[in-house]
Amino acid sequence: MAKPITQIKKEIPEPVEEEKQAVTEIIREVALNHDAIIEAIRLIKGLHETKVLEAATALLEQRTEVGAIAIKQINQPTMQNVIKNAINAFKFLGSLHPGQLDTVLEGLSQGFTQFSKGEQQEKNLSYWRLRKKLWSPPIRAAITRIVDFMDGMGEVFLRNRRESP
Protein backbone atom coordinates (compact mmCIF):
# COMPACT_ATOMS: atom_id res chain seq x y z
CA MET A 1 0.00 0.00 0.00
CA ALA A 2 1.04 3.57 -0.71
CA LYS A 3 2.08 5.88 2.00
CA PRO A 4 -0.54 8.56 2.85
CA ILE A 5 0.34 12.16 1.91
CA THR A 6 0.61 14.13 5.07
CA GLN A 7 2.50 17.15 3.96
CA ILE A 8 1.93 19.22 0.79
CA LYS A 9 4.77 21.38 -0.38
CA LYS A 10 3.52 24.45 -2.21
CA GLU A 11 6.22 25.95 -4.34
CA ILE A 12 6.21 29.68 -4.18
CA PRO A 13 8.20 31.23 -7.02
CA GLU A 14 10.68 33.85 -6.05
CA PRO A 15 9.69 37.45 -6.86
CA VAL A 16 12.71 37.86 -9.13
CA GLU A 17 11.72 34.77 -11.11
CA GLU A 18 8.10 36.01 -11.40
CA GLU A 19 9.31 39.38 -12.71
CA LYS A 20 11.55 37.67 -15.27
CA GLN A 21 8.66 35.55 -16.48
CA ALA A 22 6.34 38.60 -16.70
CA VAL A 23 8.93 40.60 -18.67
CA THR A 24 9.48 37.69 -21.03
CA GLU A 25 5.74 37.39 -21.59
CA ILE A 26 5.41 41.14 -22.28
CA ILE A 27 8.31 41.11 -24.75
CA ARG A 28 6.77 38.13 -26.55
CA GLU A 29 3.41 39.94 -26.88
CA VAL A 30 5.14 43.14 -28.05
CA ALA A 31 6.96 41.18 -30.74
CA LEU A 32 3.75 39.46 -31.87
CA ASN A 33 1.70 42.69 -31.94
CA HIS A 34 4.36 45.10 -33.17
CA ASP A 35 2.16 46.84 -35.79
CA ALA A 36 -0.76 47.36 -33.44
CA ILE A 37 1.48 48.78 -30.73
CA ILE A 38 3.17 51.21 -33.15
CA GLU A 39 -0.28 52.34 -34.36
CA ALA A 40 -1.45 52.82 -30.76
CA ILE A 41 1.65 54.88 -29.99
CA ARG A 42 0.96 57.08 -33.04
CA LEU A 43 -2.62 57.54 -31.90
CA ILE A 44 -1.58 58.47 -28.38
CA LYS A 45 1.07 60.85 -29.77
CA GLY A 46 -1.57 62.58 -31.90
CA LEU A 47 -3.91 62.89 -28.93
CA HIS A 48 -1.09 64.32 -26.86
CA GLU A 49 -0.12 66.85 -29.54
CA THR A 50 -3.69 68.08 -29.84
CA LYS A 51 -3.98 68.34 -26.04
CA VAL A 52 -6.86 65.83 -25.98
CA LEU A 53 -5.01 63.65 -23.48
CA GLU A 54 -4.41 66.68 -21.29
CA ALA A 55 -8.11 67.55 -21.37
CA ALA A 56 -9.13 63.94 -20.70
CA THR A 57 -6.74 63.73 -17.76
CA ALA A 58 -8.09 66.97 -16.30
CA LEU A 59 -11.63 65.70 -16.82
CA LEU A 60 -10.85 62.47 -14.99
CA GLU A 61 -9.21 64.33 -12.13
CA GLN A 62 -12.27 66.56 -11.74
CA ARG A 63 -14.86 63.87 -12.57
CA THR A 64 -16.87 64.41 -9.40
CA GLU A 65 -17.31 68.13 -10.01
CA VAL A 66 -17.94 67.61 -13.73
CA GLY A 67 -20.54 64.93 -12.97
CA ALA A 68 -22.29 67.22 -10.51
CA ILE A 69 -22.41 70.04 -13.06
CA ALA A 70 -23.69 67.68 -15.78
CA ILE A 71 -26.45 66.34 -13.52
CA LYS A 72 -27.40 69.88 -12.52
CA GLN A 73 -27.65 70.89 -16.20
CA ILE A 74 -29.67 67.81 -17.16
CA ASN A 75 -32.12 68.43 -14.32
CA GLN A 76 -33.04 71.88 -15.63
CA PRO A 77 -36.52 71.99 -17.20
CA THR A 78 -35.19 73.47 -20.45
CA MET A 79 -32.73 70.61 -20.88
CA GLN A 80 -35.45 68.07 -20.19
CA ASN A 81 -37.50 69.74 -22.93
CA VAL A 82 -34.53 69.51 -25.29
CA ILE A 83 -34.17 65.80 -24.58
CA LYS A 84 -37.91 65.17 -25.04
CA ASN A 85 -37.92 67.20 -28.27
CA ALA A 86 -34.93 65.27 -29.60
CA ILE A 87 -36.67 61.97 -28.86
CA ASN A 88 -39.83 63.22 -30.58
CA ALA A 89 -37.81 64.42 -33.58
CA PHE A 90 -36.26 60.96 -33.96
CA LYS A 91 -39.70 59.36 -33.65
CA PHE A 92 -41.01 61.73 -36.32
CA LEU A 93 -38.13 61.00 -38.68
CA GLY A 94 -38.60 57.30 -38.07
CA SER A 95 -42.29 57.52 -38.95
CA LEU A 96 -41.62 59.10 -42.35
CA HIS A 97 -41.28 56.97 -45.42
CA PRO A 98 -37.89 57.79 -47.01
CA GLY A 99 -39.49 58.39 -50.40
CA GLN A 100 -41.90 60.94 -48.92
CA LEU A 101 -39.14 62.82 -47.16
CA ASP A 102 -36.96 62.72 -50.28
CA THR A 103 -39.76 64.21 -52.38
CA VAL A 104 -40.48 66.96 -49.85
CA LEU A 105 -36.80 67.87 -49.43
CA GLU A 106 -36.24 67.88 -53.20
CA GLY A 107 -39.28 70.15 -53.55
CA LEU A 108 -37.94 72.48 -50.87
CA SER A 109 -34.58 72.62 -52.61
CA GLN A 110 -36.16 73.42 -55.96
CA GLY A 111 -38.41 75.98 -54.29
CA PHE A 112 -35.44 77.75 -52.72
CA THR A 113 -33.68 77.75 -56.09
CA GLN A 114 -36.70 79.39 -57.73
CA PHE A 115 -36.98 81.79 -54.79
CA SER A 116 -33.36 82.86 -55.26
CA LYS A 117 -33.83 83.37 -59.00
CA GLY A 118 -36.87 85.57 -58.44
CA GLU A 119 -35.12 87.48 -55.69
CA GLN A 120 -32.09 88.16 -57.90
CA GLN A 121 -34.27 89.44 -60.73
CA GLU A 122 -36.28 91.58 -58.29
CA LYS A 123 -39.32 91.49 -60.50
CA ASN A 124 -42.81 91.90 -59.18
CA LEU A 125 -45.66 90.14 -60.89
CA SER A 126 -48.70 92.03 -61.96
CA TYR A 127 -52.00 90.73 -60.65
CA TRP A 128 -52.79 89.41 -64.12
CA ARG A 129 -49.51 87.45 -64.41
CA LEU A 130 -49.87 86.24 -60.82
CA ARG A 131 -53.39 84.96 -61.60
CA LYS A 132 -52.09 83.19 -64.71
CA LYS A 133 -49.25 81.63 -62.73
CA LEU A 134 -51.63 80.29 -60.09
CA TRP A 135 -53.17 78.10 -62.78
CA SER A 136 -49.85 76.60 -63.88
CA PRO A 137 -49.48 72.87 -63.13
CA PRO A 138 -46.48 73.23 -60.73
CA ILE A 139 -48.22 75.92 -58.66
CA ARG A 140 -51.48 73.98 -58.55
CA ALA A 141 -49.61 70.81 -57.49
CA ALA A 142 -47.82 72.70 -54.70
CA ILE A 143 -51.02 74.37 -53.48
CA THR A 144 -52.83 71.01 -53.54
CA ARG A 145 -50.07 69.41 -51.44
CA ILE A 146 -50.08 72.34 -49.01
CA VAL A 147 -53.86 72.03 -48.60
CA ASP A 148 -53.49 68.24 -48.07
CA PHE A 149 -50.79 68.93 -45.48
CA MET A 150 -52.97 71.46 -43.67
CA ASP A 151 -55.91 69.03 -43.77
CA GLY A 152 -53.86 66.29 -42.09
CA MET A 153 -52.41 68.67 -39.54
CA GLY A 154 -55.89 70.02 -38.76
CA GLU A 155 -57.21 66.50 -38.16
CA VAL A 156 -54.52 65.91 -35.54
CA PHE A 157 -55.21 69.28 -33.91
CA LEU A 158 -58.93 68.50 -33.65
CA ARG A 159 -58.25 64.96 -32.35
CA ASN A 160 -55.84 66.26 -29.70
CA ARG A 161 -58.31 68.94 -28.65
CA ARG A 162 -61.01 66.27 -28.10
CA GLU A 163 -58.61 63.97 -26.19
CA SER A 164 -57.09 66.59 -23.91
CA PRO A 165 -59.12 67.75 -20.89
Side-chain angles (χ1 to χ4, degrees), residues 102-113:
D102 189 43
T103 302
V104 170
L105 292 177
E106 190 176 338
L108 283 172
S109 176
Q110 184 67 27
F112 279 121
T113 302

Side-chain angles (χ1 to χ4, degrees), residues 25-102:
E25 228 176 286
I26 290 171
I27 291 172
R28 186 178 328 118
E29 289 298 320
V30 167
L32 291 173
N33 299 299
H34 171 265
D35 293 336
I37 291 172
I38 295 298
E39 199 63 35
I41 290 172
R42 286 185 188 141
L43 175 67
I44 291 170
K45 182 180 177 189
L47 292 173
H48 176 71
E49 289 171 355
T50 57
K51 304 289 186 200
V52 172
L53 284 181
E54 198 174 305
T57 303
L59 190 63
L60 284 174
E61 289 172 355
Q62 301 296 323
R63 65 184 169 268
T64 307
E65 291 84 4
V66 170
I69 292 169
I71 296 298
K72 189 186 293 183
Q73 291 298 318
I74 289 174
N75 282 335
Q76 291 183 359
T78 55
M79 186 56 75
Q80 291 173 357
N81 289 341
V82 167
I83 293 169
K84 288 176 187 175
N85 288 339
I87 290 169
N88 286 333
F90 281 115
K91 283 182 185 176
F92 168 71
L93 289 174
S95 70
L96 292 178
H97 186 276
Q100 290 174 322
L101 185 60
D102 189 43

